[in-house]
Amino acid sequence: MAISKPKPKVTKATSSQTITAKGSTNSGSAGRKRSASRKSTTLTTAPDQRSIGGETHQRSTAETQILTTAQGVQVTDGQNSLKVGDRGPVTLSDFQLREKIFHFDHERIPERVVHARGYGAHGYFESYGGAEDLSCADVLARAGERTPAFVRFSTVAGSQGSADLARDVRGFAVKLYTKEGNWDIVGNNIPVFFIQDAIKFPDLIHAAKSEPDRGFPQAATAHDNFWDFASLMPEATHMLMWAMSDRTIPRSFRFMEGFGVHTFRMVNSSGESHFVKFHWKPKSGLQSVLWPEAVAINGADPDFHRRDLWNAIGAGDFPEWELGVQVFNDEWANTFDFDVLDPTKLIPEELLPVRPLGRLVLDRVVDNFFAETEQVAFCTQNIVRGIDFSNDPLLAGRNFSYLDTQLKRLGSPNFTHLPINAPKCPFANFQQDGHMAVTYRTGQTNYEPNSREGDERGPRETLVKGFAECPAAENGPQRRARPELFADHFSQARQFLLSQEPLERAHMADAFVFELSKVQTEAVRLRMVSNLRNVDETFAASVATGLGITQLPHASIPAATINTQLPSVPSLSIMSNPPADFAGRRVGVLVANGTPADVLARLLEQLASARVTVECVAPSINGIVDSNGKPIEVAHAVSGAPSVLFDAIAVLAGTEQSPIDAATKDWIRDAHTHCKVIGHINAAAVLFEAAGVQPDAGYVLLDRKSSGFVARCAAGREWSRDESATRHPTLMADRR
Ligand code: HDE
């Protein structure tokens, strides 16, 4: 076979015909921006060169790395494939083109079958110590000791590219890289789950995701399949009440709780075991957005939650949660109204307080989304000495599923070799080979027991700190069955509903009405209402009215007697437990030419000292000057940053805004409708009139002396404007 002559190197870019494009607007800025806020950037003056075909070549300098192939061959021309002549054909011998496209073609890995959309960050867990009576877990042993952590928050139903503010349960998965192995607590922001047995999980998820024939709706349960399934599964009712509450439209990851959901065990050094339920409590408190806001945020900034986390960490405002446990034993479990192995039930904190164990702080964003957030592999079965499982049948299924799914997703049993998944403590075993093995043992021995000496012996078992399963005595006939106590599907659903403030109940009713109004099959809508009658008649009737159902269907027949006497649990309500302050929030300030400089300065100063982010919004991002003629730093054009992106607004513009455009009117009207606190100067009256809003108790006059704006924001929204209340008068009148 003839060997083709070596082709002359493509040297166009270095030929005398190249044109230097000094001052080109190319984006080769060094360093990474850590925040989405606007920064002034220097236009590059790198020695870019343009060749006769017009393409730009950026050559390495003493400061830059040299571009190479994956095999390390230095690249001369990264812009052109190898051709015969200038106009082709392209030759097959272009190994650089082949390698680059090959790698690109294989960039995607399967997205998670659930929780595909998520966002992660690094941090640490700091133990409070003093938990020896409960657990011998090393991570809890020493007060003040910090253990590296990685957390991934997620939605459940949507694909990786779906929007952050879908009405959905949020995943709250924590990996603690302890000195005795990785411990994963793979929880949610809701303490209960839809189903009681893992065998129903594929059905639940099939029903919740897009319908298979049409491939929509995306990231939404507002469709026939979900409600058909849910209405036939009364065990889901409790979780449905949570799912239709404001919990599923959180303000951000920073303002939501996390729960381990299942009952776990903690085991102390004497081998004594207690049951525990895990809780993560956000230091910033609980907050949610309103449904119309969520819908608008999804359009204006589908990355709202991940951007919020990125920006908060970038600004040094590190999100923090406290880890706590509810602790109980068999005797207590036997006195509880429900089965502690039933994941559709919770234990009210008022009955069993949460005992704090330590705090989790997120202080570092990822360096690479794919390498960390995407490749992190949480597994419920990753537990450490001092922690153990209970017999919750849902947990058992999860313990199989998570390991299994990593093989599909990451493609190799060696996913534990990836830096984000590898333990940060010493580890050694005789596992070997497999796709993409990165860490491996040297030497001849790959089995145990062995009779080798020295290093050749390899690792050995230990009785000192080895993992010891809790010696639970299991016994009984093999059966496919559920315990009798699991059959109470409605009592806690009702307890959750009645623990909410009336307005929260109205929001829940609105959510049911919205979701069910998207269901085309009338029988499904009726079946769901008949289940709701077992939760609460007033609530069911309000939902039915919203759906235009004039004749209420019979209540469905409950599988067990409903306990209507369970006490209210105030800790379950967001509105009853507002955050202590307004820290960590975001205020949008509408400015225009002539905005009073002193008022603006005072507002910015007050918000900064309250640790509130402020962004100025104006008709255009350039050229806006205050009353002193000084330029105002404007972050967004009004049309690019609707007021749904802010927790509160201030209107420091007025008469100079002429004509008043639709975006400005919407900006104000939306904030008003969404019950936001609105700070303003007197001149803003003209804008309020144009927007058709009537100032009320949620409006705060700002001048150069005023100080009440932040306090008013901290006191919460102006709920008197909430239209949900007018849609559900019976719920609002119900003070149970
Ligand atoms: Fe999951 N779940 N799940 N789940 N889950 C996954 O694992 C599964 C359940 C949760 O950020 C998958 O790595 C089964 C309850 C979170 O990477 C998969 C059952 C709770 C995450 C899986 C459940 C969760 C997952 C998909 C019923 C709250 C995201 C990708 C038996 C306590 C973790 C993956 C991350 C992810 C299976 C039920 C939380 C397929 C079989 C209950 C936060 O393994």
Side-chain angles (χ1 to χ4, degrees), residues 13 66 88 150 155 278 280 300 417 540 560 588 642 697-698 709 736:
I66 295 174
F150 186 78
T155 50
F278 293 113
W280 296 103
H417 297 202
F709 181 64
R736 276 176 297 171

Side-chain angles (χ1 to χ4, degrees), residues 112-115 152 171-173 186-188 193 198 201 260-262 378 394 398 401-402 405-406:
R112 288 165 172 83
V113 59
V114 281
H115 296 265
R152 182 174 178 274
F172 192 126
V186 196
N188 278 346
F193 201 63
F201 192 65
V261 175
H262 314 279
F378 292 97
L394 198 66
R398 294 181 74 198
S401 174
Y402 289 69
T405 207
Q406 307 314 344

